[in-house]
Amino acid sequence: MDLGKMAVSINKAINTQEVAVKEKHARTCILGTHHEKGAHTFWAAVNRLPLSSNAVLCWKFCHVFHKLLRDGHPNVIKDSMRNKADLCDMSRMWGHLSEGYGKLCSIYLKLLITKMEFHVKNPRFPGNLQMTDKQLEEAGENDVNNFFQITVEMFDYLECELTLFLGVFSSLDMSRSVSVTAAGQCRLAPLIQVILDCSHLYDYTVKLLFKLHSCLPADTLQGHRDRFLEQFKKLKSLFYRSSNLQYFKRLIQIPQLSENPPNFLRASALSEHISPVVVIPLEASSPESEHVVETEELVDTDVPVQTLSLSKQSTESRFDDVFGTSSSSDPFNFNSQNGMYKDDRDCLIGQLTRELHALKEELESFKMESSRLCQSLRSRVSELEAELAEQSHLRQQALGEGEFLRAELEDLRRVKEDTEKEQRSLTEIERKAQANEQRYTKLKEKYTALVQSHADLLRKNAEVTRQMTVARAAQDEVDSVRREMQEKVKAAEEDVHLREKEQEEQLGTLQKEMQASRAELDRLKETVTSSQQSSEALSSQVSALEAEKSGLAETLVRKEAELAGLGEELQRVQRSLASERESSVKVAENLQNQLNEKESREQALESQLVAARWAALGGALEEAERIVRDSLARLEDPAHISCTSSADYLVSRTEAALQCVDRLQAARDVYVSNSTDVAEMLRAVAQFGHQLSDTIMQGGATSHMLAVEQADSLAEDVKACGAEALELLGRLKEQGTLGAADGTMLRAVLGRIKTTAEDLRPRGLELQQGELGDLVEQEMSATSAAVESAAVRIEEMLNKSRAVDTGVKMEVNERILASCTELMQAIKVLVLASKDLQRDIVESGRGAASMKEFYAKNSRWTEGLISASKAVGWGATVMVDAADLVVQGNGKFEELMVCSHEIAASTAQLVAASKVKADKDSGNLARLQQASRGVTQATAGVVASTKSGKSQIEETDTMDFSSMTLTQIKRQEMDSQVRVLELETRLQRERERLGELRKKHYELAGVAEGWEEEQSTG
């Protein structure tokens, strides 16, 4: 055979279509292994298949591999053991799934691994498990320990077969005709191989247990008997359920086990055991019209056929029953191994004597058996007479049941009418739901128009603000115009908000109505389902009645020869039963037609529900696209330039967006596998749109704080993120590309944004646990000391000013220094409250760890505390120096006001750092917030006293233009305009210088706190 043809057959047999494996392809694979004398070509083709990614493909591979292990060349098992590790890994991988083909593939792979290990440990057993009793005895090598171990391994083997059997049946909906569907046959087809294995394993297990009971005590084998009884019940139930399936009736004849399990405690029960024989019809082996391959050279003539072995076994058992068993042929006669020598004649005489006694006992038993048979025949005649009377009674009972079925048919007709009424009401509800959907669409369009008008008003407001900035010369007039415009904008915004609230209320009302309609629709579906179940129960009753009647007719035919005198009466009964059967068949056909009509109506309703689900998903995707496009459009809005954001917040938004992309992918996979589960997909799409929009907005806001090159790079990544999100949503909107939609590119863009944001985040000092905890205490103590020192210096300056200055200057100095003293006292209270709050945070959060370990664990929070404490202490020192210069007359009042603002900002940072991990109901937190408000008030007092003192001390030039001529006034006006332009130019330069100083401060702070070192090590 051409190996290429074998590879083609392997690819045709193992594919992703959910249909049963064709027999001709499997047969070609089997013949290929015999020609090749191994399975190298099979595994070379299989290793190229994606078995770990497609459950149906893996399931069909297991089916074909099982056939090869049973009917292929014996070397298939040896060649397959090389791939045992891969099969184990694949079984564990599919075992993580809890339903569908994944769980079945895991069970099937475990069975195949167990089968290979069994045949490797016991090479005497062929792959198809067909052996004679002599070969079974030779497999144990006349050792009871070997038979004991083989029995245990057979129990494990049979347990795996039964687990697969139960797994397949539990995965099918047995209330429906699953065996006639392609998907059902795909799952049921491998069970034919399982049935063949189970029949042989059960037969060998029974024989081995009888042999073990003849050699070992019964108590020793109690565990074996319990395990056999459990497997016997399962196998009997599964054989019975399988024989009732339409799919197996034309492919295989499944044997039925005995009513009761064998009694191993009674040795003679072995003669009552009947080996289960599975028969595969000739037409079942080749369901397709195909050419027959000549395989005479592949048949091993040394292996006997199973039927011949069974006939030989029965002949040997009858011979043993008549003449007895010889000790030399008994595999468990261990007494023959004692090495004792006997004369051949003495042995022959003893053997003949024993046989003679056995024949006499057998003759006596035959006589007793003949008398017992005569008695049983007499009792049988009496039983037949009683059965005749019972048949007459059954005829009357069948007539009564026919009347009952007619009444059931009337009830079914009434149920049908009720179902039609419910169907009409369901149609009306669907029509109302469609009307509600149309109303919802119209309201949504109105809401979009309102949002657009609101955006126009916001743009107008921005234009008015720019005009106010340009017209600063006419300040009074512009202020009045600005107030009027603000009032108009506020009125318009209130009007828009009122309209939005009304639209939201209407939308809520419509959504409630839609939910009520869906609840009504679910209730009607449940009613239809219950009606269908009642119809199916009635059909099962009719089928049971037909089976009972057919059995009654067969009984009457069988007894007709024995009861010739009653032939005419039996014929009349048979005719009446045939008429009743015909009427029952007609009733069953009518019921089947009604069920078909109901199924067609349910399919139409299901198609409508699928369309509604797809429409809802499409609307959600369009809304998500609109949100993303709106965020991209707002990036180009000039008003957005003033918006800023931090790198930490951008990192958190990017991580949330990545989680949303993963959730959307998972929801997409669930929706592709089960289109009815659309709720999770809708929630994932809505969250995806909002999170991506937030990420885009925060990325644009963060870019406004960066240098030109970094800002351009981040802005390009943000726009690319929006474009990838729109492309992903576009693929999800199309049914053809829904399954192939992938967010890999979007994840990559989000990853670049996250990396850029993490590079911009401040990085803390790399300190040890003890150093970080000690540094917190040192910085808080240094801050307290700096505040105390500043308060002492202010007091000294106040005393010095009172001794030297007089008049207005002394009054101004006292007022400024008094406000500075109040600010120092407020800062001191704030620092103490912050210490108490930090102590509560550490005590409540550290658990069994120490305080230093807590600070080291929360290093980022600890570094924030350290930075805030440094800023507060430095601000207090600088403010004291500025106040000293102002009191001496060498400083500027503006420096003192700037220092006050810096201290306020530093204390706000300290409050925020202390409050981030605090309990909102903490008393120390309330005291910290009260102290923060006290610092704010004291800062305002310092600024107010500074401004007041400045106005008292500085002299204002009196503007007297009465003596100037027109030319002089014009010249002064030009000079004033020149100075104004110069001052504006200087102001612009100072602002640019301030921006560069802040950037440099940011870089130096990063160097001081070890950002660059962390970045290089990372």
Side-chain angles (χ1 to χ4, degrees), residues 432-433 436 439 508-518:
K432 291 181 180 180
N436 290 334
R439 291 175 60 190
T509 305
L510 288 177
Q511 288 177 356
K512 290 180 180 178
E513 292 178 359
M514 289 177 66
Q515 290 176 359
S517 300
R518 290 193 181 98

Side-chain angles (χ1 to χ4, degrees), residues 824-839:
M824 291 298 115
Q825 294 297 329
I827 293 173
K828 182 178 180 181
V829 173
L830 177 69
V831 171
L832 294 177
S834 176
K835 285 184 177 180
D836 295 337
L837 181 60
Q838 291 168 25
R839 191 178 301 108

Side-chain angles (χ1 to χ4, degrees), residues 221-505:
L221 300 172
Q222 181 63 40
H224 281 54
R225 290 196 300 274
D226 295 340
R227 192 171 183 184
F228 173 82
L229 181 61
E230 180 182 0
Q231 293 184 352
F232 172 82
K233 293 178 180 178
K234 292 181 180 179
L235 188 60
K236 180 180 178 182
S237 174
L238 293 172
F239 274 5
Y240 177 74
R241 294 172 65 183
S242 302
S243 62
N244 293 329
L245 292 177
Q246 188 67 28
Y247 175 71
F248 291 119
K249 289 183 179 179
R250 67 182 182 85
L251 297 177
I252 188 172
Q253 294 182 8
I254 302 175
Q256 298 300 322
L257 302 183
S258 59
E259 187 66 24
N260 298 318
N263 186 5
F264 299 110
L265 301 179
R266 186 167 57 90
S268 60
L270 178 61
S271 60
E272 300 173 1
H273 170 65
I274 300 175
S275 300
V277 179
V278 179
V279 180
I280 299 179
L282 295 177
E283 61 273 16
S285 63
S286 58
E288 299 86 3
S289 58
E290 56 188 325
H291 64 280
V292 180
V293 182
E294 294 296 328
T295 61
E296 286 79 8
E297 70 274 14
L298 304 178
V299 179
D300 189 359
T301 57
D302 294 336
V303 180
V305 183
Q306 184 180 6
T307 55
L308 295 177
S309 64
L310 293 175
S311 62
K312 182 179 179 181
Q313 177 187 358
S314 61
T315 303
E316 291 176 355
S317 63
R318 287 196 299 270
F319 180 84
D320 294 339
D321 291 338
V322 176
F323 297 102
T325 57
S326 62
S327 60
S328 61
S329 62
D330 188 0
F332 294 101
N333 188 5
F334 303 105
N335 295 328
S336 63
Q337 302 176 7
N338 55 11
M340 296 177 64
Y341 175 80
K342 291 184 179 180
D343 193 354
D344 293 341
R345 289 176 297 176
D346 294 339
C347 292
L348 182 60
I349 292 171
Q351 181 179 357
L352 292 175
T353 304
R354 288 192 298 273
E355 291 177 355
L356 180 61
H357 287 293
L359 289 174
K360 289 181 180 179
E361 292 176 357
E362 188 69 22
L363 180 61
E364 293 296 331
S365 64
F366 281 159
K367 291 180 180 179
M368 295 176 64
E369 184 68 20
S370 62
S371 61
R372 186 182 64 79
L373 288 175
C374 291
Q375 185 65 27
S376 64
L377 289 174
R378 293 190 187 95
S379 61
R380 180 62 178 166
V381 171
S382 301
E383 291 177 359
L384 291 174
E385 292 176 352
E387 288 181 1
L388 178 61
E390 184 179 0
Q391 297 302 327
S392 301
H393 174 69
L394 289 174
R395 178 176 176 275
Q396 298 296 329
Q397 186 177 2
L399 293 175
E401 290 181 353
E403 294 295 333
F404 176 74
L405 287 175
R406 292 188 186 92
E408 290 288 334
L409 183 59
E410 293 296 329
D411 294 339
L412 186 59
R413 289 196 183 97
R414 287 194 296 271
V415 170
K416 178 183 176 182
E417 294 175 357
D418 296 339
T419 306
E420 290 176 352
K421 292 179 182 179
E422 293 172 353
Q423 186 67 28
R424 288 193 293 272
S425 61
L426 179 61
T427 305
E428 182 67 21
I429 290 173
E430 290 178 350
R431 186 182 61 79
K432 291 181 180 180
Q434 291 177 358
N436 290 334
E437 288 288 343
Q438 294 176 358
R439 291 175 60 190
Y440 173 76
T441 305
K442 292 179 181 179
L443 290 174
K444 184 178 178 181
E445 292 175 354
K446 292 180 180 179
Y447 176 75
T448 304
L450 288 175
V451 171
Q452 186 64 33
S453 63
H454 185 213
D456 294 338
L457 290 175
L458 291 176
R459 284 193 289 271
K460 291 179 181 179
N461 186 17
E463 183 65 26
V464 170
T465 304
R466 286 195 296 272
Q467 292 176 1
M468 289 168 57
T469 303
V470 174
R472 188 173 295 175
Q475 188 67 34
D476 296 335
E477 183 178 358
V478 170
D479 289 340
S480 62
V481 172
R482 181 179 61 186
R483 285 193 295 271
E484 293 177 359
M485 292 302 296
Q486 286 180 350
E487 291 176 357
K488 290 180 180 180
V489 170
K490 288 181 180 178
E493 290 179 351
E494 291 177 356
D495 189 12
V496 170
H497 289 313
L498 291 175
R499 291 181 183 178
E500 288 179 353
K501 289 181 180 178
E502 293 177 358
Q503 296 295 335
E504 290 177 355
E505 291 177 356

Side-chain angles (χ1 to χ4, degrees), residues 35 43 90 104-105 119 171 187 257 270 289 325 349 476 724 731 746:
H35 281 284
W43 282 108
M90 197 184 307
L104 296 179
C105 289
H119 290 291
S171 67
R187 299 194 184 193
L257 302 183
L270 178 61
S289 58
T325 57
I349 292 171
D476 296 335
E724 292 295 336
R731 290 197 296 269
L746 180 58

Side-chain angles (χ1 to χ4, degrees), residues 907-924:
T907 53
Q909 180 184 356
L910 181 61
V911 171
S914 301
K915 189 171 63 176
V916 69
K917 287 185 174 294
D919 186 6
K920 63 179 181 179
D921 298 328
S922 175
N924 288 325

Side-chain angles (χ1 to χ4, degrees), residues 54-92:
N54 192 302
V56 177
L57 193 71
C58 184
W59 176 255
K60 298 180 78 171
F61 154 75
C62 294
H63 184 190
V64 175
F65 184 40
H66 197 173
K67 280 179 170 289
L68 294 183
L69 291 178
R70 280 187 51 82
D71 303 327
H73 194 272
N75 290 335
V76 172
I77 298 175
K78 299 178 181 178
D79 296 339
S80 301
M81 285 299 294
R82 304 168 186 170
N83 300 274
K84 176 184 173 183
D86 296 336
L87 296 178
C88 293
D89 295 340
M90 197 184 307
S91 175
R92 285 194 294 271

Side-chain angles (χ1 to χ4, degrees), residues 3-4 6-11 14 40-53 57 61 83 86 90:
L3 297 180
M6 179 181 176
V8 172
S9 299
I10 292 171
N11 292 327
I14 306 174
H40 298 289
T41 303
F42 172 77
W43 282 108
V46 166
N47 288 332
R48 293 193 295 268
L49 299 177
L51 300 180
S52 299
S53 60
L57 193 71
F61 154 75
N83 300 274
D86 296 336
M90 197 184 307

